[in-house]
């Protein structure tokens, strides 16, 4: 029987190979005929995704999983990698099961596989979509060389809450910008054709609204209006779909009382019907069985039914489908037609990846040898890390400039802090199989860049508790030096999944440490490396130079040294608002005006008694070693009709004495609407490069489509009326002009 099938499968596969251009019909016929031959158990196997138990010491395969693969009861594996290991697993599926259906191999390739690029939040600060797409392309190549064919990325969750640890994985707070980033990543991972063995299937996640977890606590409840959901949280998902994303992952949270994993409104109504998504939907890790804890399902069996009926195809790790779906079918709680359609979505993906042509196409030891940690990967890791860095402050100390530091300096430089000589934490959260021994530490990067300087290193203090026993040494080291570089921030476990923090100050004794070092009176440059905005108000008040370096990956130390030396002029701009303290959260630039907008002379206006409303640093903010001046914001018309375009131009001049890059931002405000509109909304941006004294006229065009929103009746329309347009280098410092949209 088995042999007979393999023979049949081969004939079909040969036909398929010949048909690189096979049409949709042949593709469907192939998959449909396969489904006809499948037993119910084999079908459920295709809807099941289990983790391999890859341990830190290397791969192991629990007997149970092995048998499940061999019997066709588990058709997909994640967290298994390397060509050799995945070949072994694939052989079990292809050679030992009755139908020989190949496995999908998924993994969280979030910002790299073994060569690690900056965390996504950092890379988003580059505002360079080409760079972001290239990072995705290169990480896909590297991961696909390591036996993988599916990444659980892009993570496109918007958040207004830096307490939420997963802010590190996304691209900030703005729906317009995050949509552009999401599309760039999908294109990068998937390339032109999924069947190309250097690409991965992408998975947009977490559908939906996971970033709005109450109080910033991971997995917490989400409750919001449909308007906010559609205007703020859904656009990056829609953009991923328009870019052709192959798969979608559910979210852990409930949304307005219904857990996302059992949410028909999200999956059947929006994703499938409204957006016409044809790909495959996978749950997040055990999120089916978690519907029991949510209080939405009676037991695991019921949870599985809710998920399948909501339009979910594949069960990640719950084993709810595996254990109970057959029984649910027998009882009439789910239909064979829904099971078949989910199986079809899975098999179509395997087909599109080319796995029926060659189940081993993503498994190639030679490619693995040539691509992983290659020079090309490391060069890009440097480029991306440099562009991710944001210069927050750069003032003179006793009349002289601290940054940039001359590469020929002969000064004695103290480098102090838990991130000064650290490899692992530079990798950041979700660093897949990132190799920490390959990471260029800050100390190493600095020594290479400043060969004539004398460096003194001190650890100072760690990430937890309040052990100040390293302070004395650090203070001594600072006193003996001409300049101090503080390397402070979070370790890689202090952000990311299950890493929410109620207090987002520098963790452990570091806040005290920097105060002590400041007391020495030495000039101090502060580097902050973290996976989220930290509340660094004291630093901002007292330290003349602050560089936000996030977690930058494999080439972290080199990238920071390039920026400190000025060989790379920093150009990063924030994609999330930095609060002064946690009491300001949620904080975001595109807020509403309120009925009592702040007025310094009127107590009864929206405000805090103890701090200003303004953030510490706004969205879009970041400095350069040069300066830019904005003039002449001009519109080609005062009015546009629904068929017309508005041309906006703004003059930007480099007024400093170095070449530099600037992210020119365009915002709009709709002054009166059938529902209230935000005080600003990003509608365009351009990253330009200017030589000293050079001026460019930066042009944008706006159409009525750009002015649409969910109006009172929930129609997505632009309403005639008065608008403001703003251009500038961040969301606060802008020039403004007016126009009208008329019928
Ligand atoms: C849980 C996370 O929420 C999700 O983002 C990730 O892809 C899966 N685990 C698999 O590791």
């Amino acid at each position: 029987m088995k042999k007979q099938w393999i023979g049949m499968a081969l004939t079909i596969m040969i036909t398929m190979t010949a048909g690189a251009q096979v049409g949709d019909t042949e593709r469907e016929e192939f998959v449909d005929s396969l489904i006809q031959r499948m037993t119910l158990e084999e079908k459920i196997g295709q809807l099941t995704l289990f983790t391999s138990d890859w341990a830190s010491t290397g791969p192991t395969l629990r007997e149970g999983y092995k048998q499940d693969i061999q019997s066709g009861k588990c058709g997909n594996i994640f967290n298994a990698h390397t060509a050799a290991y995945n070949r072994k697993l694939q052989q079990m599926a292809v050679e030992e099961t009755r139908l020989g259906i190949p496995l999908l191999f998924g993994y969280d390739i979030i910002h790299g596989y073994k060569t690690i690029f900056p965390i996504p939040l950092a890379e988003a600060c580059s505002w360079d979509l080409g760079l972001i797409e290239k990072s995705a392309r290169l990480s896909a190549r590297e991961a696909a060389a390591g036996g993988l064919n599916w990444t659980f990325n892009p993570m496109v969750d918007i958040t207004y809450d830096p307490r939420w640890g997963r802010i590190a994985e996304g691209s900030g707070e703005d729906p317009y910008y995050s949509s552009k980033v999401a599309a760039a990543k999908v294109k990068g991972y998937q390339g032109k054709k999924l069947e190309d063995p250097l690409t991965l299937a992408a998975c947009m996640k977490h559908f939906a609204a996971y970033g709005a977890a109450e109080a910033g606590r991971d997995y917490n409840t989400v409750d919001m209006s449909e308007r906010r959901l559609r205007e703020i949280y859904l656009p990056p998902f829609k953009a991923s779909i328009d870019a052709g994303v192959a798969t979608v992952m559910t979210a852990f949270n409930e949304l307005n009382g219904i857990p996302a994993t059992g949410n028909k409104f999200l999956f059947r109504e929006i994703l499938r019907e409204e957006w016409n998504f044809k790909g495959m939907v996978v749950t997040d890790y055990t999120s089916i069985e978690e519907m029991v804890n949510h209080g939405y399902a009676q037991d695991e069996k019921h949870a599985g039914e809710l998920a399948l009926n909501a339009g979910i195809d594949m069960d990640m790790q719950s084993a709810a489908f595996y254990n109970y779906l057959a029984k649910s079918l027998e009882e009439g709680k789910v239909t064979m037609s829904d099971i078949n359609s989910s199986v079809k979505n899975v098999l179509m993906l395997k087909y599109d990846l080319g796995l029926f042509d060659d189940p081993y196409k993503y498994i190639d030891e030679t490619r693995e040898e040539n691509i992983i940690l290659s020079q090309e990967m490391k060069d890009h890791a440097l480029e991306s890390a440099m562009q991710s860095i944001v210069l927050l402050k750069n003032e003179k100390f006793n009349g002289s400039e601290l940054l940039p530091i001359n590469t020929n300096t002969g000064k004695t430089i103290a480098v102090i802090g838990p991130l000064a000589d650290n490899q692992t934490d530079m990798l950041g959260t979700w660093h897949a199989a990132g190799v920490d021994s390959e990471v260029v530490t800050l100390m190493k990067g600095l020594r290479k860049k400043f060969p004539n300087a004398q460096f003194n290193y001190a650890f100072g203090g760690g990430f937890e508790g309040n052990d100040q026993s390293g302070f004395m040494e650090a203070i001594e080291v600072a006193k003996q030096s001409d300049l101090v570089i503080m390397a402070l921030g979070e370790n890689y476990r202090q952000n990311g999944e299950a890493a929410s923090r109620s207090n987002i100050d520098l963790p452990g004794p570091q806040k005290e440490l920097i105060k002590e070092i400041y007391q020495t009176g030495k000039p101090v440059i502060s580097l902050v490396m973290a996976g989220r905005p930290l509340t660094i108000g004291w630093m901002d008040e007292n330290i003349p130079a602050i560089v936000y370096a996030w977690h930058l990956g494999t080439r972290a130390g080199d990238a920071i040294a390039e920026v400190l030396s000025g060989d790379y002029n920093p150009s990063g701009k924030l994609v999330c608002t930095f609060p002064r303290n946690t009491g300001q959260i949620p904080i975001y630039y595109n807020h509403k005006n309120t009925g009592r907008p702040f007025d310094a002379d009127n107590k009864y206006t929206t405000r805090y008694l103890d701090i200003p409303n303004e953030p510490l640093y706004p969205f879009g903010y970041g400095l350069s070693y040069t300066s830019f001046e904005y003039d002449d914001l001009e519109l080609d018309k005062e009015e546009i009709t629904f068929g017309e375009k508005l041309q906006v131009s703004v003059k930007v001049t480099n007024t400093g004495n170095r070449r530099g890059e600037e992210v020119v931002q365009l915002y709009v405000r709709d002054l009166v609407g059938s529902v209230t509109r935000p005080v600003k909304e990003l509608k365009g941006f351009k990253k330009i490069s200017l030589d000293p004294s050079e001026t460019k006229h930066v042009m944008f065009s706006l159409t009525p489509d750009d002015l649409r929103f969910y109006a009172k009746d929930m129609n997505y329309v632009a309403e005639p009326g008065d608008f403001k347009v703003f251009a500038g280098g961040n969301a606060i410092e802008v020039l403004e002009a007016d126009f009208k949209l008329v019928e």
Side-chain angles (χ1 to χ4, degrees), residues 78-79 107-108 110 152-153 155 166 169 205-206 210 219 249-250 252 284-285 316 430 497:
F78 68 118
N79 295 336
Y107 199 21
D108 288 281
I110 306 297
F152 303 135
N153 208 34
M155 188 279 208
R166 303 199 78 167
E169 288 171 64
K205 67 186 188 187
H206 306 84
Y210 182 35
Y219 317 125
M249 187 186 291
T250 70
F252 284 127
D284 202 347
Y285 203 104
M316 182 197 286
W430 285 117
E497 187 182 350

